[in-house]
Tab-separated table of all heavy atoms in Angstrom:
chain	number	residue	atom	x	y	z
A	245	LEU	N	2.568	15.599	-3.575
A	245	LEU	CA	2.258	14.196	-3.347
A	245	LEU	C	1.258	13.700	-4.398
A	245	LEU	O	0.323	14.411	-4.737
A	245	LEU	CB	1.595	14.012	-1.978
A	245	LEU	CG	2.479	14.203	-0.754
A	245	LEU	CD1	1.643	14.105	0.511
A	245	LEU	CD2	3.587	13.187	-0.727
A	246	PRO	N	1.455	12.470	-4.870
A	246	PRO	CA	0.486	11.908	-5.806
A	246	PRO	C	-0.869	11.686	-5.111
A	246	PRO	O	-0.906	11.450	-3.901
A	246	PRO	CB	1.102	10.575	-6.199
A	246	PRO	CG	2.457	10.525	-5.624
A	246	PRO	CD	2.562	11.606	-4.606
A	247	ARG	N	-1.933	11.792	-5.897
A	247	ARG	CA	-3.277	11.518	-5.330
A	247	ARG	C	-3.433	10.026	-5.152
A	247	ARG	O	-3.064	9.240	-6.014
A	247	ARG	CB	-4.344	12.040	-6.255
A	247	ARG	CG	-4.538	13.521	-6.169
A	247	ARG	CD	-5.697	13.946	-6.996
A	247	ARG	NE	-6.909	13.303	-6.495
A	247	ARG	CZ	-8.067	13.895	-6.408
A	247	ARG	NH1	-8.195	15.120	-6.824
A	247	ARG	NH2	-9.117	13.280	-5.956
A	248	GLY	N	-4.035	9.642	-4.052
A	248	GLY	CA	-4.287	8.245	-3.796
A	248	GLY	C	-4.198	7.949	-2.319
A	248	GLY	O	-4.032	8.856	-1.493
A	249	ARG	N	-4.298	6.697	-1.991
A	249	ARG	CA	-4.238	6.273	-0.600
A	249	ARG	C	-2.888	5.592	-0.348
A	249	ARG	O	-2.556	4.603	-0.982
A	249	ARG	CB	-5.368	5.277	-0.301
A	249	ARG	CG	-5.349	4.739	1.104
A	249	ARG	CD	-6.518	3.821	1.348
A	249	ARG	NE	-6.468	3.276	2.689
A	249	ARG	CZ	-7.370	2.461	3.173
A	249	ARG	NH1	-8.381	2.088	2.413
A	249	ARG	NH2	-7.265	2.018	4.389
A	250	PHE	N	-2.100	6.167	0.541
A	250	PHE	CA	-0.827	5.568	0.914
A	250	PHE	C	-1.091	4.517	1.981
A	250	PHE	O	-1.866	4.745	2.899
A	250	PHE	CB	0.128	6.634	1.459
A	250	PHE	CG	0.677	7.528	0.391
A	250	PHE	CD1	0.010	8.687	0.046
A	250	PHE	CD2	1.845	7.215	-0.269
A	250	PHE	CE1	0.499	9.512	-0.945
A	250	PHE	CE2	2.349	8.045	-1.253
A	250	PHE	CZ	1.687	9.193	-1.593
A	251	ILE	N	-0.438	3.376	1.850
A	251	ILE	CA	-0.624	2.322	2.847
A	251	ILE	C	0.709	2.014	3.534
A	251	ILE	O	1.754	2.213	2.964
A	251	ILE	CB	-1.198	1.021	2.237
A	251	ILE	CG1	-0.244	0.437	1.200
A	251	ILE	CG2	-2.547	1.261	1.623
A	251	ILE	CD1	-0.582	-0.964	0.797
A	252	GLU	N	0.624	1.603	4.772
A	252	GLU	CA	1.808	1.219	5.509
A	252	GLU	C	1.952	-0.285	5.627
A	252	GLU	O	3.019	-0.787	5.895
A	252	GLU	CB	1.811	1.876	6.903
A	252	GLU	CG	2.046	3.340	6.854
A	252	GLU	CD	2.346	3.925	8.217
A	252	GLU	OE1	2.775	3.182	9.114
A	252	GLU	OE2	2.121	5.135	8.374
A	253	SER	N	0.851	-0.988	5.456
A	253	SER	CA	0.912	-2.460	5.495
A	253	SER	C	-0.251	-3.027	4.707
A	253	SER	O	-1.237	-2.347	4.452
A	253	SER	CB	0.876	-2.976	6.931
A	253	SER	OG	-0.414	-2.842	7.476
A	254	ALA	N	-0.102	-4.290	4.331
A	254	ALA	CA	-1.158	-4.960	3.568
A	254	ALA	C	-2.463	-5.001	4.363
A	254	ALA	O	-3.547	-4.938	3.797
A	254	ALA	CB	-0.719	-6.364	3.193
A	255	SER	N	-2.347	-5.034	5.685
A	255	SER	CA	-3.573	-5.095	6.518
A	255	SER	C	-4.410	-3.827	6.383
A	255	SER	O	-5.601	-3.837	6.673
A	255	SER	CB	-3.208	-5.347	7.980
A	255	SER	OG	-2.426	-4.293	8.481
A	256	ASP	N	-3.804	-2.725	5.898
A	256	ASP	CA	-4.554	-1.482	5.702
A	256	ASP	C	-5.662	-1.627	4.673
A	256	ASP	O	-6.605	-0.851	4.681
A	256	ASP	CB	-3.622	-0.354	5.266
A	256	ASP	CG	-2.709	0.142	6.366
A	256	ASP	OD1	-2.916	-0.224	7.532
A	256	ASP	OD2	-1.784	0.909	6.046
A	257	VAL	N	-5.514	-2.579	3.755
A	257	VAL	CA	-6.525	-2.729	2.686
A	257	VAL	C	-7.229	-4.080	2.710
A	257	VAL	O	-8.050	-4.358	1.847
A	257	VAL	CB	-5.910	-2.484	1.289
A	257	VAL	CG1	-5.558	-1.025	1.103
A	257	VAL	CG2	-4.730	-3.371	1.031
A	258	GLU	N	-6.955	-4.925	3.693
A	258	GLU	CA	-7.586	-6.244	3.754
A	258	GLU	C	-9.110	-6.141	3.831
A	258	GLU	O	-9.802	-6.985	3.258
A	258	GLU	CB	-7.054	-7.046	4.954
A	258	GLU	CG	-5.698	-7.630	4.680
A	258	GLU	CD	-5.190	-8.467	5.834
A	258	GLU	OE1	-5.829	-8.517	6.899
A	258	GLU	OE2	-4.134	-9.075	5.657
A	259	ASP	N	-9.632	-5.134	4.480
A	259	ASP	CA	-11.093	-4.979	4.582
A	259	ASP	C	-11.720	-4.572	3.245
A	259	ASP	O	-12.943	-4.575	3.106
A	259	ASP	CB	-11.455	-3.962	5.663
A	259	ASP	CG	-10.849	-2.588	5.448
A	259	ASP	OD1	-9.721	-2.507	4.895
A	259	ASP	OD2	-11.483	-1.595	5.835
A	260	LEU	N	-10.891	-4.262	2.253
A	260	LEU	CA	-11.390	-3.867	0.929
A	260	LEU	C	-11.374	-4.994	-0.097
A	260	LEU	O	-11.729	-4.783	-1.252
A	260	LEU	CB	-10.560	-2.683	0.408
A	260	LEU	CG	-10.537	-1.436	1.287
A	260	LEU	CD1	-9.623	-0.388	0.674
A	260	LEU	CD2	-11.932	-0.874	1.479
A	261	ILE	N	-10.976	-6.188	0.303
A	261	ILE	CA	-10.907	-7.331	-0.611
A	261	ILE	C	-12.271	-7.544	-1.259
A	261	ILE	O	-13.299	-7.513	-0.597
A	261	ILE	CB	-10.446	-8.622	0.111
A	261	ILE	CG1	-8.976	-8.486	0.513
A	261	ILE	CG2	-10.636	-9.854	-0.764
A	261	ILE	CD1	-8.457	-9.614	1.378
A	262	GLY	N	-12.255	-7.705	-2.582
A	262	GLY	CA	-13.494	-7.931	-3.334
A	262	GLY	C	-14.116	-6.651	-3.845
A	262	GLY	O	-15.047	-6.696	-4.651
A	263	ARG	N	-13.622	-5.535	-3.424
A	263	ARG	CA	-14.153	-4.242	-3.870
A	263	ARG	C	-13.197	-3.633	-4.901
A	263	ARG	O	-12.043	-4.019	-4.988
A	263	ARG	CB	-14.299	-3.297	-2.691
A	263	ARG	CG	-15.287	-3.834	-1.641
A	263	ARG	CD	-15.384	-2.955	-0.447
A	263	ARG	NE	-15.916	-1.654	-0.815
A	263	ARG	CZ	-15.921	-0.616	0.001
A	263	ARG	NH1	-15.412	-0.712	1.213
A	263	ARG	NH2	-16.424	0.534	-0.383
A	264	ARG	N	-13.707	-2.705	-5.660
A	264	ARG	CA	-12.854	-1.970	-6.605
A	264	ARG	C	-12.205	-0.805	-5.882
A	264	ARG	O	-12.821	-0.160	-5.038
A	264	ARG	CB	-13.696	-1.439	-7.770
A	264	ARG	CG	-14.196	-2.540	-8.674
A	264	ARG	CD	-14.693	-1.996	-9.998
A	264	ARG	NE	-15.232	-3.065	-10.810
A	264	ARG	CZ	-14.503	-3.834	-11.621
A	264	ARG	NH1	-13.215	-3.610	-11.729
A	264	ARG	NH2	-15.070	-4.781	-12.329
A	265	ALA	N	-10.961	-0.563	-6.222
A	265	ALA	CA	-10.225	0.565	-5.649
A	265	ALA	C	-10.875	1.863	-6.142
A	265	ALA	O	-11.000	2.085	-7.336
A	265	ALA	CB	-8.768	0.516	-6.038
A	266	GLU	N	-11.316	2.681	-5.233
A	266	GLU	CA	-11.948	3.966	-5.579
A	266	GLU	C	-10.906	5.007	-5.962
A	266	GLU	O	-11.236	6.021	-6.555
A	266	GLU	CB	-12.800	4.469	-4.427
A	266	GLU	CG	-13.962	3.545	-4.101
A	266	GLU	CD	-14.779	4.033	-2.934
A	266	GLU	OE1	-14.640	5.208	-2.522
A	266	GLU	OE2	-15.561	3.233	-2.394
A	267	TYR	N	-9.676	4.777	-5.587
A	267	TYR	CA	-8.568	5.651	-5.888
A	267	TYR	C	-7.314	4.790	-5.880
A	267	TYR	O	-7.336	3.671	-5.361
A	267	TYR	CB	-8.449	6.775	-4.839
A	267	TYR	CG	-8.832	6.343	-3.468
A	267	TYR	CD1	-7.961	5.599	-2.691
A	267	TYR	CD2	-10.091	6.616	-2.953
A	267	TYR	CE1	-8.333	5.160	-1.421
A	267	TYR	CE2	-10.463	6.182	-1.686
A	267	TYR	CZ	-9.563	5.454	-0.928
A	267	TYR	OH	-9.930	5.019	0.304
A	268	PRO	N	-6.229	5.245	-6.458
A	268	PRO	CA	-5.031	4.413	-6.485
A	268	PRO	C	-4.514	4.118	-5.084
A	268	PRO	O	-4.576	4.977	-4.198
A	268	PRO	CB	-4.001	5.236	-7.256
A	268	PRO	CG	-4.690	6.468	-7.719
A	268	PRO	CD	-6.022	6.539	-7.085
A	269	ILE	N	-4.045	2.893	-4.900
A	269	ILE	CA	-3.383	2.509	-3.641
A	269	ILE	C	-1.892	2.681	-3.900
A	269	ILE	O	-1.338	2.087	-4.821
A	269	ILE	CB	-3.704	1.036	-3.261
A	269	ILE	CG1	-5.215	0.788	-3.220
A	269	ILE	CG2	-3.024	0.671	-1.943
A	269	ILE	CD1	-5.979	1.561	-2.170
A	270	LEU	N	-1.238	3.519	-3.104
A	270	LEU	CA	0.130	3.939	-3.366
A	270	LEU	C	1.121	3.413	-2.349
A	270	LEU	O	0.801	3.239	-1.166
A	270	LEU	CB	0.203	5.469	-3.384
A	270	LEU	CG	-0.776	6.174	-4.317
A	270	LEU	CD1	-0.708	7.678	-4.089
A	270	LEU	CD2	-0.495	5.832	-5.761
A	271	HIS	N	2.346	3.166	-2.805
A	271	HIS	CA	3.430	2.753	-1.922
A	271	HIS	C	3.823	3.938	-1.043
A	271	HIS	O	3.939	5.062	-1.540
A	271	HIS	CB	4.625	2.291	-2.751
A	271	HIS	CG	5.665	1.609	-1.964
A	271	HIS	ND1	6.565	2.305	-1.178
A	271	HIS	CD2	5.951	0.296	-1.820
A	271	HIS	CE1	7.369	1.445	-0.589
A	271	HIS	NE2	7.019	0.215	-0.968
A	272	PRO	N	4.007	3.725	0.239
A	272	PRO	CA	4.286	4.856	1.154
A	272	PRO	C	5.639	5.514	0.959
A	272	PRO	O	5.794	6.691	1.261
A	272	PRO	CB	4.191	4.219	2.548
A	272	PRO	CG	4.498	2.780	2.320
A	272	PRO	CD	3.941	2.459	0.958
A	273	ALA	N	6.614	4.781	0.454
A	273	ALA	CA	7.947	5.342	0.332
A	273	ALA	C	8.172	6.096	-0.976
A	273	ALA	O	8.705	7.209	-0.983
A	273	ALA	CB	8.991	4.234	0.471
A	274	ASP	N	7.729	5.505	-2.072
A	274	ASP	CA	8.067	6.116	-3.357
A	274	ASP	C	6.873	6.589	-4.160
A	274	ASP	O	7.013	7.183	-5.218
A	274	ASP	CB	8.920	5.179	-4.208
A	274	ASP	CG	8.252	3.850	-4.483
A	274	ASP	OD1	7.015	3.749	-4.391
A	274	ASP	OD2	8.969	2.884	-4.832
A	275	GLY	N	5.661	6.353	-3.647
A	275	GLY	CA	4.457	6.845	-4.294
A	275	GLY	C	4.012	6.087	-5.528
A	275	GLY	O	3.053	6.472	-6.179
A	276	ARG	N	4.706	4.972	-5.856
A	276	ARG	CA	4.293	4.233	-7.041
A	276	ARG	C	2.931	3.583	-6.796
A	276	ARG	O	2.580	3.287	-5.664
A	276	ARG	CB	5.341	3.213	-7.454
A	276	ARG	CG	5.416	1.970	-6.605
A	276	ARG	CD	6.480	1.002	-7.122
A	276	ARG	NE	6.501	-0.199	-6.339
A	276	ARG	CZ	7.249	-0.418	-5.277
A	276	ARG	NH1	8.073	0.542	-4.874
A	276	ARG	NH2	7.199	-1.544	-4.605
A	277	THR	N	2.183	3.397	-7.863
A	277	THR	CA	0.849	2.833	-7.770
A	277	THR	C	0.955	1.309	-7.589
A	277	THR	O	1.566	0.638	-8.403
A	277	THR	CB	0.034	3.141	-9.039
A	277	THR	OG1	-0.047	4.573	-9.169
A	277	THR	CG2	-1.379	2.569	-8.956
A	278	LEU	N	0.347	0.828	-6.503
A	278	LEU	CA	0.320	-0.609	-6.234
A	278	LEU	C	-0.951	-1.240	-6.782
A	278	LEU	O	-0.937	-2.370	-7.275
A	278	LEU	CB	0.437	-0.850	-4.725
A	278	LEU	CG	1.715	-0.320	-4.076
A	278	LEU	CD1	1.627	-0.435	-2.558
A	278	LEU	CD2	2.930	-1.084	-4.598
A	279	ILE	N	-2.062	-0.542	-6.660
A	279	ILE	CA	-3.347	-0.990	-7.193
A	279	ILE	C	-3.984	0.214	-7.876
A	279	ILE	O	-4.173	1.251	-7.237
A	279	ILE	CB	-4.288	-1.568	-6.100
A	279	ILE	CG1	-3.625	-2.746	-5.400
A	279	ILE	CG2	-5.624	-1.978	-6.712
A	279	ILE	CD1	-4.426	-3.301	-4.237
A	280	GLU	N	-4.318	0.075	-9.156
A	280	GLU	CA	-4.887	1.191	-9.911
A	280	GLU	C	-6.358	1.407	-9.584
A	280	GLU	O	-7.061	0.471	-9.201
A	280	GLU	CB	-4.712	0.944	-11.393
A	280	GLU	CG	-3.266	0.908	-11.826
A	280	GLU	CD	-3.113	0.613	-13.313
A	280	GLU	OE1	-4.080	0.743	-14.067
A	280	GLU	OE2	-1.996	0.265	-13.687
A	281	THR	N	-6.839	2.617	-9.787
A	281	THR	CA	-8.232	2.948	-9.618
A	281	THR	C	-9.087	2.027	-10.492
A	281	THR	O	-8.754	1.789	-11.640
A	281	THR	CB	-8.503	4.408	-10.028
A	281	THR	OG1	-7.669	5.268	-9.232
A	281	THR	CG2	-9.957	4.781	-9.846
A	282	GLY	N	-10.159	1.490	-9.923
A	282	GLY	CA	-11.079	0.655	-10.660
A	282	GLY	C	-10.728	-0.821	-10.666
A	282	GLY	O	-11.558	-1.653	-11.047
A	283	LYS	N	-9.523	-1.197	-10.255
A	283	LYS	CA	-9.122	-2.597	-10.207
A	283	LYS	C	-9.716	-3.256	-8.955
A	283	LYS	O	-9.809	-2.623	-7.899
A	283	LYS	CB	-7.601	-2.745	-10.177
A	283	LYS	CG	-6.920	-2.218	-11.411
A	283	LYS	CD	-7.223	-3.111	-12.593
A	283	LYS	CE	-6.490	-2.597	-13.818
A	283	LYS	NZ	-6.729	-3.422	-14.983
A	284	ILE	N	-10.101	-4.513	-9.102
A	284	ILE	CA	-10.627	-5.243	-7.954
A	284	ILE	C	-9.479	-5.638	-7.043
A	284	ILE	O	-8.427	-6.115	-7.496
A	284	ILE	CB	-11.415	-6.489	-8.397
A	284	ILE	CG1	-12.659	-6.059	-9.168
A	284	ILE	CG2	-11.783	-7.362	-7.207
A	284	ILE	CD1	-13.481	-7.195	-9.723
A	285	ILE	N	-9.663	-5.385	-5.758
A	285	ILE	CA	-8.663	-5.732	-4.734
A	285	ILE	C	-8.879	-7.187	-4.365
A	285	ILE	O	-9.899	-7.557	-3.804
A	285	ILE	CB	-8.766	-4.811	-3.516
A	285	ILE	CG1	-8.595	-3.342	-3.949
A	285	ILE	CG2	-7.769	-5.182	-2.451
A	285	ILE	CD1	-8.964	-2.326	-2.908
A	286	THR	N	-7.894	-8.032	-4.700
A	286	THR	CA	-8.004	-9.468	-4.457
A	286	THR	C	-7.057	-9.888	-3.321
A	286	THR	O	-6.104	-9.176	-2.995
A	286	THR	CB	-7.638	-10.274	-5.713
A	286	THR	OG1	-6.263	-10.021	-6.057
A	286	THR	CG2	-8.520	-9.900	-6.893
A	287	ARG	N	-7.357	-11.051	-2.756
A	287	ARG	CA	-6.494	-11.583	-1.704
A	287	ARG	C	-5.066	-11.790	-2.245
A	287	ARG	O	-4.093	-11.552	-1.550
A	287	ARG	CB	-7.068	-12.889	-1.146
A	287	ARG	CG	-6.342	-13.367	0.090
A	287	ARG	CD	-7.107	-14.456	0.821
A	287	ARG	NE	-8.446	-14.095	1.203
A	287	ARG	CZ	-8.776	-13.312	2.237
A	287	ARG	NH1	-7.824	-12.793	2.972
A	287	ARG	NH2	-10.022	-13.040	2.513
A	288	GLY	N	-4.965	-12.257	-3.493
A	288	GLY	CA	-3.647	-12.450	-4.094
A	288	GLY	C	-2.862	-11.158	-4.197
A	288	GLY	O	-1.655	-11.123	-3.969
A	289	ARG	N	-3.537	-10.076	-4.534
A	289	ARG	CA	-2.881	-8.779	-4.640
A	289	ARG	C	-2.436	-8.305	-3.251
A	289	ARG	O	-1.357	-7.709	-3.102
A	289	ARG	CB	-3.832	-7.753	-5.263
A	289	ARG	CG	-3.193	-6.476	-5.631
A	289	ARG	CD	-2.139	-6.705	-6.718
A	289	ARG	NE	-1.541	-5.429	-7.062
A	289	ARG	CZ	-0.236	-5.203	-7.041
A	289	ARG	NH1	0.598	-6.148	-6.771
A	289	ARG	NH2	0.236	-4.017	-7.345
A	290	ILE	N	-3.242	-8.587	-2.243
A	290	ILE	CA	-2.870	-8.226	-0.868
A	290	ILE	C	-1.607	-8.977	-0.461
A	290	ILE	O	-0.702	-8.417	0.158
A	290	ILE	CB	-4.015	-8.528	0.117
A	290	ILE	CG1	-5.257	-7.690	-0.224
A	290	ILE	CG2	-3.587	-8.290	1.560
A	290	ILE	CD1	-5.072	-6.220	-0.182
A	291	THR	N	-1.516	-10.251	-0.854
A	291	THR	CA	-0.329	-11.049	-0.545
A	291	THR	C	0.902	-10.426	-1.191
A	291	THR	O	1.964	-10.346	-0.569
A	291	THR	CB	-0.500	-12.497	-1.045
A	291	THR	OG1	-1.655	-13.044	-0.414
A	291	THR	CG2	0.697	-13.343	-0.721
A	292	GLN	N	0.764	-9.923	-2.429
A	292	GLN	CA	1.880	-9.264	-3.105
A	292	GLN	C	2.292	-7.984	-2.369
A	292	GLN	O	3.446	-7.583	-2.426
A	292	GLN	CB	1.515	-8.932	-4.535
A	292	GLN	CG	1.357	-10.137	-5.418
A	292	GLN	CD	0.887	-9.772	-6.814
A	292	GLN	OE1	0.387	-8.674	-7.045
A	292	GLN	NE2	1.037	-10.681	-7.745
A	293	LEU	N	1.363	-7.377	-1.667
A	293	LEU	CA	1.650	-6.144	-0.958
A	293	LEU	C	2.448	-6.381	0.329
A	293	LEU	O	2.858	-5.433	0.992
A	293	LEU	CB	0.370	-5.397	-0.616
A	293	LEU	CG	-0.438	-4.876	-1.810
A	293	LEU	CD1	-1.699	-4.183	-1.316
A	293	LEU	CD2	0.381	-3.941	-2.652
A	294	SER	N	2.656	-7.631	0.680
A	294	SER	CA	3.380	-7.920	1.921
A	294	SER	C	4.787	-7.308	1.899
A	294	SER	O	5.341	-6.995	2.937
A	294	SER	CB	3.456	-9.425	2.180
A	294	SER	OG	4.173	-10.070	1.147
A	295	SER	N	5.347	-7.113	0.694
A	295	SER	CA	6.661	-6.463	0.606
A	295	SER	C	6.609	-5.029	1.102
A	295	SER	O	7.598	-4.477	1.555
A	295	SER	CB	7.182	-6.503	-0.825
A	295	SER	OG	6.388	-5.695	-1.666
A	296	VAL	N	5.438	-4.414	1.032
A	296	VAL	CA	5.272	-3.050	1.532
A	296	VAL	C	5.516	-3.019	3.028
A	296	VAL	O	6.154	-2.108	3.540
A	296	VAL	CB	3.859	-2.505	1.189
A	296	VAL	CG1	3.617	-1.173	1.900
A	296	VAL	CG2	3.718	-2.356	-0.306
A	297	ASP	N	5.029	-4.039	3.748
A	297	ASP	CA	5.258	-4.108	5.186
A	297	ASP	C	6.738	-4.040	5.508
A	297	ASP	O	7.177	-3.321	6.384
A	297	ASP	CB	4.668	-5.399	5.781
A	297	ASP	CG	3.158	-5.472	5.668
A	297	ASP	OD1	2.499	-4.406	5.547
A	297	ASP	OD2	2.615	-6.579	5.711
A	298	VAL	N	7.546	-4.800	4.758
A	298	VAL	CA	8.977	-4.848	4.975
A	298	VAL	C	9.593	-3.494	4.646
A	298	VAL	O	10.408	-2.972	5.390
A	298	VAL	CB	9.622	-5.970	4.137
A	298	VAL	CG1	11.140	-5.929	4.235
A	298	VAL	CG2	9.082	-7.318	4.568
A	299	ASP	N	9.203	-2.898	3.489
A	299	ASP	CA	9.743	-1.622	3.076
A	299	ASP	C	9.508	-0.556	4.146
A	299	ASP	O	10.398	0.220	4.470
A	299	ASP	CB	9.111	-1.151	1.779
A	299	ASP	CG	9.528	-1.986	0.563
A	299	ASP	OD1	10.505	-2.763	0.694
A	299	ASP	OD2	8.891	-1.841	-0.488
A	300	VAL	N	8.310	-0.501	4.690
A	300	VAL	CA	7.974	0.528	5.682
A	300	VAL	C	8.750	0.283	6.956
A	300	VAL	O	9.285	1.225	7.555
A	300	VAL	CB	6.437	0.534	5.944
A	300	VAL	CG1	6.114	1.434	7.119
A	300	VAL	CG2	5.705	1.013	4.691
A	301	LYS	N	8.883	-0.964	7.395
A	301	LYS	CA	9.659	-1.257	8.593
A	301	LYS	C	11.105	-0.837	8.419
A	301	LYS	O	11.725	-0.265	9.311
A	301	LYS	CB	9.576	-2.746	8.921
A	301	LYS	CG	8.226	-3.164	9.472
A	301	LYS	CD	8.177	-4.658	9.709
A	301	LYS	CE	6.757	-5.067	10.101
A	301	LYS	NZ	6.610	-6.526	10.152
A	302	GLU	N	11.656	-1.118	7.225
A	302	GLU	CA	13.048	-0.717	6.961
A	302	GLU	C	13.209	0.788	6.970
A	302	GLU	O	14.177	1.331	7.513
A	302	GLU	CB	13.507	-1.290	5.621
A	302	GLU	CG	13.702	-2.791	5.650
A	302	GLU	CD	14.017	-3.363	4.255
A	302	GLU	OE1	14.115	-2.587	3.279
A	302	GLU	OE2	14.153	-4.594	4.176
A	303	LEU	N	12.250	1.497	6.378
A	303	LEU	CA	12.304	2.963	6.364
A	303	LEU	C	12.223	3.564	7.766
A	303	LEU	O	12.940	4.503	8.104
A	303	LEU	CB	11.196	3.534	5.495
A	303	LEU	CG	11.375	3.394	3.986
A	303	LEU	CD1	10.109	3.793	3.259
A	303	LEU	CD2	12.552	4.228	3.519
A	304	LYS	N	11.330	2.978	8.562
A	304	LYS	CA	11.187	3.480	9.941
A	304	LYS	C	12.484	3.240	10.719
A	304	LYS	O	12.936	4.110	11.470
A	304	LYS	CB	10.009	2.812	10.629
A	304	LYS	CG	8.676	3.358	10.151
A	304	LYS	CD	7.521	2.708	10.888
A	304	LYS	CE	6.188	3.282	10.430
A	304	LYS	NZ	5.054	2.630	11.072
A	305	ALA	N	13.072	2.052	10.545
A	305	ALA	CA	14.309	1.745	11.255
A	305	ALA	C	15.434	2.672	10.807
A	305	ALA	O	16.212	3.198	11.627
A	305	ALA	CB	14.710	0.294	11.019
A	306	LEU	N	15.506	2.930	9.518
A	306	LEU	CA	16.521	3.833	8.981
A	306	LEU	C	16.347	5.252	9.492
A	306	LEU	O	17.278	5.906	9.888
A	306	LEU	CB	16.499	3.830	7.447
A	306	LEU	CG	17.501	4.712	6.734
A	306	LEU	CD1	18.916	4.286	7.085
A	306	LEU	CD2	17.272	4.658	5.242
A	307	SER	N	15.087	5.699	9.549
A	307	SER	CA	14.836	7.059	10.015
A	307	SER	C	15.175	7.218	11.482
A	307	SER	O	15.578	8.283	11.928
A	307	SER	CB	13.397	7.474	9.726
A	307	SER	OG	12.505	6.748	10.541
A	308	MET	N	15.012	6.154	12.247
A	308	MET	CA	15.341	6.219	13.681
A	308	MET	C	16.869	6.332	13.887
A	308	MET	O	17.290	6.944	14.846
A	308	MET	CB	14.814	4.986	14.407
A	308	MET	CG	13.280	4.899	14.413
A	308	MET	SD	12.507	6.319	15.167
A	308	MET	CE	12.824	5.987	16.878
A	309	THR	N	17.649	5.755	12.993
A	309	THR	CA	19.099	5.847	13.128
A	309	THR	C	19.613	7.204	12.706
A	309	THR	O	20.725	7.572	13.073
A	309	THR	CB	19.814	4.734	12.302
A	309	THR	OG1	19.513	4.915	10.924
A	309	THR	CG2	19.383	3.354	12.759
A	310	MET	N	18.806	7.932	11.944
A	310	MET	CA	19.234	9.252	11.463
A	310	MET	C	18.925	10.353	12.469
A	310	MET	O	19.414	11.470	12.316
A	310	MET	CB	18.548	9.570	10.129
A	310	MET	CG	18.916	8.626	9.031
A	310	MET	SD	17.986	9.037	7.573
A	310	MET	CE	19.299	9.133	6.368
A	311	VAL	N	18.147	10.060	13.484
A	311	VAL	CA	17.773	11.074	14.454
A	311	VAL	C	18.872	11.384	15.406
A	311	VAL	O	19.736	10.737	15.724
A	311	VAL	CB	16.491	10.617	15.239
A	311	VAL	CG1	16.158	11.600	16.319
A	311	VAL	CG2	15.363	10.440	14.273
C-alpha cells in the first residue's frame, strides 16, 4: 500500500481545511494522490474531493453484489 492517508469521503478531511497536509491524502480505491504532502488543504480542494464520495459508494455497492 502507498504511504498516506486514505479517505472515504470529503468530510474525512474537512477538519483539516487551512492546514498543510502532513502526508499525502490518497484515493481509497486506486491509491492515487489527491492532496500532496505540504500542500494547503483548501475548501475548494475539498469540493473537488466530492467525487471520492461517489467512487467509494459505487465500490461498496459493487462489492456487495459480489458477495
Side-chain angles (χ1 to χ4, degrees):
L245 289 174
R247 282 186 62 140
R249 178 177 178 179
F250 287 89
I251 62 167
E252 289 192 23
S253 74
S255 62
D256 289 348
V257 291
E258 283 182 353
D259 58 328
L260 302 177
I261 291 173
R263 298 177 63 191
R264 291 195 183 273
E266 296 178 16
Y267 34 78
I269 307 295
L270 306 173
H271 191 283
D274 59 20
R276 75 179 183 269
T277 301
L278 299 172
I279 301 175
E280 295 179 16
T281 302
K283 297 290 183 179
I284 295 177
I285 301 168
T286 63
R287 189 166 303 283
R289 191 64 180 126
I290 298 300
T291 302
Q292 292 176 343
L293 295 179
S294 63
S295 67
V296 171
D297 295 338
V298 174
D299 290 347
V300 171
K301 287 177 187 172
E302 289 174 2
L303 287 171
K304 285 182 179 177
L306 180 61
S307 69
M308 294 302 285
T309 61
M310 296 177 129
V311 175

